[in-house]
Amino acid sequence: MKSVEELKALREKALKELSIRDNENKTRIVVGMATCGIAAGAKPVMNAFVEEVAKRNIQDVTVTMTGCVGICRLEPIADVIDSNGEKTTYVKLTPEKARRIVAEHIVNKKPVIEYTIGAAEK
Amino acid sequence: MKDISLHLMDIVQNSISAGADKIILRIWVEPKQDTYQENSAKISYNLCCEIIDNGRGMEPEFAKKAADPFKTTRKTRNIGMGLPLLKLSAEMAGGELILESELNKGTRIKAFFDVDSIDRIPLGDVASTVKMLVMANPDITWNIWFSSSGEEFELDTDEIKKELEDIPLNNNAVLDWIEKTVNDGIRKVFGGVLDEVR
Ligand SMILES: Nc1ncnc2c1ncn2[C@@H]1O[C@H](COP(=O)(O)OP(=O)(O)OP(=O)(O)O)[C@@H](O)[C@H]1O
Ligand SMILES: [Mg+2]
């Protein structure tokens, strides 16, 4: 089976790149994937987060999802949970906004205030 | 929902919420039962999708209503939209939604669509759905299976884990490999069978 060979090669490569990482100190991006979120475009938003994090080779961030129901009219929604536990909720996201959040919030540690739930609810 | 990959993403959230640690996604094309006759002029086909989980399941009475909140005299306000929307997509395209659930055993959701119905939604990007699901839930055993006449594809994350040993499933290179492998599988199985797959 060809795929077994490919997986063996993947493993070798991954082992070389594996540095000791502190999983506890990871920033988490949690994208809302309940029905309303998906219908509003949460999947391409999550894709944009994943791609931007990979493109910038950022190691201490995980992108994940939750099926918990959010707030329909504000979807797609994502929480950025910093390593100190601080949570920022971003609403009405698009792939472009997701990429900007990675650049400014994740890389430069400056939350994008205008996309937050606080700004949307004003 | 625009396409089947979005429905799958959504329906699987139910399985995850139900505490499943094994989830099977099956997509296949089969001849319709009623037209499967050797002498019929044109055989028509159904596109079928199935999500099987080993989560906590539903009470029989609840399972009957779960996909049908409009019809029922529901007392709970918060019956969701995921299953009704899939049912709608299937019925608009000459198909159905079938739900089987057993308490503490698991749930099986099957939706099928007439392949050639003009109202059938396309497959969409199923490979990226699988990638994201594995990324966010690496501890779940995922089994992905596609088939059409003569072609078959299967991916099982337990088997991948065996080869990877100490490397986690949600390693980036592994996830990209999964996405590519699923995409190759879709092309192999559904190329020339579904218009949207080239
Ligand atoms: N695989 C499953 N296992 C156990 N219970 C399920 C499963 N799928 C659905 N259910 C039950 O049926 C209900 C309706 O599901 P549905 O997807 O339609 O809406 P929802 O998940 O509640 O909300 P949403 O609109 O975000 O999807 C769920 O709340 C859950 O109680
Ligand atoms: Mg749901």
Side-chain angles (χ1 to χ4, degrees):
Chain A
M1 200 165 99
K2 182 173 140 262
S3 59
V4 173
E5 296 308 313
E6 287 178 355
L7 283 170
K8 288 213 166 84
L10 266 184
R11 182 172 179 275
E12 296 303 315
K13 195 165 152 267
L15 276 177
K16 279 192 205 115
E17 286 168 5
L18 205 65
S19 53
I20 307 134
R21 280 179 213 134
D22 192 359
N23 267 356
E24 257 87 276
N25 284 331
K26 280 197 166 187
T27 296
R28 298 200 315 138
I29 302 174
V30 185
V31 183
M33 275 297 165
T35 308
C36 264
I38 295 171
K43 193 184 168 207
V45 165
M46 178 158 170
N47 221 357
F49 276 123
V50 172
E51 277 176 12
E52 196 63 26
V53 166
K55 201 176 89 190
R56 294 169 176 267
N57 201 21
I58 304 169
Q59 301 289 356
D60 55 353
V61 170
T62 55
V63 183
T64 185
M65 62 172 81
T66 173
C68 289
V69 182
I71 311 157
C72 224
R73 73 196 151 82
L74 298 178
E75 299 279 359
I77 300 180
D79 286 335
V80 175
I81 302 159
D82 292 318
S83 50
N84 62 5
E86 198 161 311
K87 184 171 98 177
T88 310
T89 299
Y90 289 107
V91 300
K92 295 188 185 173
L93 290 172
T94 62
E96 292 68 39
K97 290 182 183 175
R99 287 189 204 98
R100 201 178 138 196
I101 289 166
V102 172
E104 295 184 20
H105 186 145
I106 306 290
V107 176
N108 294 333
K109 310 282 175 225
K110 282 206 205 89
V112 189
I113 304 294
E114 57 189 290
Y115 300 162
T116 59
I117 189 162
E121 296 288 62
K122 258 192 206 129
Chain B
M1 297 278 173
K2 264 198 343 275
D3 63 48
I4 288 172
S5 78
L6 297 179
H7 277 298
L8 289 177
M9 179 71 103
D10 180 38
I11 297 302
V12 165
Q13 304 302 324
N14 294 340
S15 303
I16 297 168
S17 305
D21 64 7
K22 177 159 182 148
I23 299 177
I24 303 171
L25 293 180
R26 293 152 50 96
I27 305 177
W28 72 99
V29 170
E30 65 179 21
K32 284 194 186 186
Q33 299 301 330
D34 51 340
T35 52
Y36 193 48
Q37 305 149 10
E38 267 164 38
N39 55 355
S40 80
K42 185 180 180 295
I43 298 178
S44 44
Y45 292 87
N46 279 333
L47 168 60
C48 310
C49 308
E50 201 169 46
I51 301 106
I52 305 169
D53 70 58
N54 66 350
R56 75 177 72 90
M58 293 172 241
E59 301 273 3
E61 279 310 303
F62 189 92
K64 264 186 242 159
K65 296 186 289 187
D68 225 0
F70 307 117
K71 268 192 192 168
T72 51
T73 53
R74 64 182 154 122
K75 295 188 180 73
T76 30
R77 266 182 164 258
N78 291 327
I79 282 187
M81 291 308 296
L83 289 169
L85 282 176
L86 177 58
K87 187 174 177 202
L88 190 70
S89 290
E91 288 176 352
M92 298 238 298
E96 273 174 54
L97 179 115
I98 297 159
L99 188 155
E100 284 170 15
S101 191
E102 201 176 330
L103 210 55
N104 301 318
K105 284 260 167 63
T107 300
R108 187 180 80 99
I109 310 278
K110 178 181 172 184
F112 65 89
F113 311 78
D114 184 336
V115 167
D116 296 319
S117 163
I118 48 160
D119 292 315
R120 178 179 67 79
I121 49 173
L123 268 187
D125 192 350
V126 172
S128 84
T129 292
V130 171
K131 173 189 175 174
M132 286 182 207
L133 288 170
V134 174
M135 173 174 9
N137 309 278
D139 296 332
I140 290 177
T141 298
W142 297 94
N143 184 282
I144 316 295
W145 182 85
F146 306 137
S147 131
S148 66
S149 53
E151 294 285 359
E152 204 179 11
F153 167 86
E154 185 175 3
L155 180 139
D156 189 286
T157 55
D158 273 357
E159 275 164 34
I160 298 173
K161 270 186 186 162
K162 235 185 284 161
E163 298 302 329
L164 290 174
E165 296 170 47
D166 39 1
I167 304 297
L169 262 189
N170 55 358
N171 170 285
N172 278 335
V174 173
L175 291 167
D176 287 344
W177 180 87
I178 290 175
E179 184 176 27
K180 183 183 164 296
T181 302
V182 172
N183 255 328
D184 291 348
I186 288 174
R187 250 179 263 122
K188 185 183 88 164
V189 175
F190 299 120
V193 176
L194 299 176
D195 283 345
E196 67 266 33
V197 180
R198 259 149 303 191

